[in-house]
Amino acid sequence: MAKGLGHAGAELIVNNYSTDMLQEAKQEYESEGLKVHTYVFDVTNDEDVKKHIDLIEKEVGPIDILINNAGIIKRVPMEDMESDDYRAVIDVNLVGPFIVSKYVGRKMIARKAGKIININSMMSELGRNTVSAYAASKGGLKMLTKNMATEWAKHNIQTNGIGPGYFATSQTAPIRVNGHPFNDFIIQRTPAARWGNPEDLAGTAVFLASSASDFVNGQIIYVDGGILATIGKPANEE
């Protein structure tokens, strides 16, 4: 999504809690000729977020587009999950977008313009074993997205979400091999009969960040190869 926006002309600001990860991302984006700035702060900390949003607007300029993409998952059966682990997932995935959007949103309200994109999930709509906290957080984020649109549309701020399906990333590489049960499940369950590629998210992000979506508000666009469109036998099976 960052590369898609960057190649469309955006000046990128990337946040993480890890300086090393930020430096790696900065080098990758700059190798493609993109202009990028990096800031280390904790999206779950009000004071830290406010300070850095003010700093970004002072050092770089107005934040026109906000993508809330920070997220964690803890795969534990619900009956075995510790309350602290549950709260940690909710804190990052649901409270974090609220905090960051609040401080960026105040500045967008003053300017009467802004685009906010929350990264949802198919778990915004469906449950799955061992992801109770994650599903709760992403279901909550769907409704936060709708409520942000309800409150801020009058200020010419469009708040929407992207719900990715299953994507080919470094994290999924170990299971994306022929014969692996989960790989076979995804291929068979997805009407497109493949995993998503990261670049498949770029167009949706650019659309929601551009004037092409000025009358689109409170929507979640699922980029999932059709998984949520079907029940039972997928379209790619005979």
Side-chain angles (χ1 to χ4, degrees):
M1 291 182 287
K3 288 181 180 179
L5 289 169
H7 286 299
E11 189 169 347
L12 303 176
I13 299 163
V14 184
N15 154 258
N16 205 309
Y17 60 87
S18 166
T19 302
D20 291 341
M21 293 175 71
L22 277 178
Q23 187 58 36
E24 182 180 341
K26 181 178 174 68
Q27 291 174 352
E28 181 177 351
Y29 298 145
E30 288 181 341
S31 72
E32 297 191 19
L34 305 179
K35 190 170 184 179
V36 58
H37 309 268
T38 60
Y39 289 85
V40 178
F41 60 93
D42 179 359
V43 297
T44 69
N45 183 299
D46 267 86
E47 185 177 340
D48 205 17
V49 171
K50 183 180 185 305
K51 178 179 71 175
H52 281 88
I53 296 304
D54 289 342
L55 184 62
I56 289 167
E57 294 236 342
K58 178 180 178 181
E59 293 182 345
V60 182
I63 298 173
D64 304 304
I65 305 158
L66 168 65
I67 298 185
N68 286 308
N69 190 42
I72 61 173
I73 189 169
K74 293 181 184 290
R75 300 182 186 276
V76 183
M78 184 171 171
E79 66 271 22
D80 298 326
M81 191 168 210
E82 298 292 339
S83 297
D84 285 347
D85 288 335
Y86 186 90
R87 290 189 183 97
V89 174
I90 298 295
D91 207 27
V92 174
N93 295 4
L94 184 55
V95 180
F98 161 76
I99 292 173
V100 179
S101 297
K102 175 174 67 173
Y103 290 114
V104 174
R106 288 175 180 176
K107 296 180 183 298
M108 290 179 170
I109 289 170
R111 291 190 288 266
K112 294 293 182 182
K115 300 281 186 174
I116 300 176
I117 304 170
N118 293 324
I119 304 307
N120 294 75
S121 165
M122 289 193 300
M123 300 304 103
S124 297
E125 303 290 343
L126 300 173
R128 185 167 170 76
N129 287 338
T130 75
V131 296
S132 58
Y134 186 81
S137 70
K138 292 300 184 178
L141 186 59
K142 177 182 76 170
M143 294 312 301
L144 178 62
T145 301
K146 291 178 179 293
N147 215 79
M148 289 165 66
T150 300
E151 294 196 30
W152 291 351
K154 63 187 177 185
H155 301 295
N156 191 32
I157 298 170
Q158 291 81 51
T159 306
N160 294 287
I162 296 175
Y166 289 94
F167 274 74
T169 66
S170 58
Q171 290 180 317
T172 60
I175 61 175
R176 281 187 290 106
V177 292
N178 290 335
H180 192 289
F182 195 74
N183 181 71
D184 293 347
F185 167 75
I186 294 302
I187 299 301
Q188 293 168 8
R189 183 67 181 81
T190 306
R194 68 173 177 87
W195 291 74
N197 296 313
E199 52 267 29
D200 289 326
L201 294 169
T204 308
V206 171
F207 166 67
L208 291 177
S210 75
S211 59
S213 61
D214 280 354
F215 205 56
V216 179
N217 227 331
Q219 303 301 308
I220 313 298
I221 299 178
Y222 290 98
V223 184
D224 65 355
I227 292 179
L228 287 175
T230 184
I231 184 170
K233 195 173 184 178
N236 59 292
E237 288 187 356
E238 296 297 333

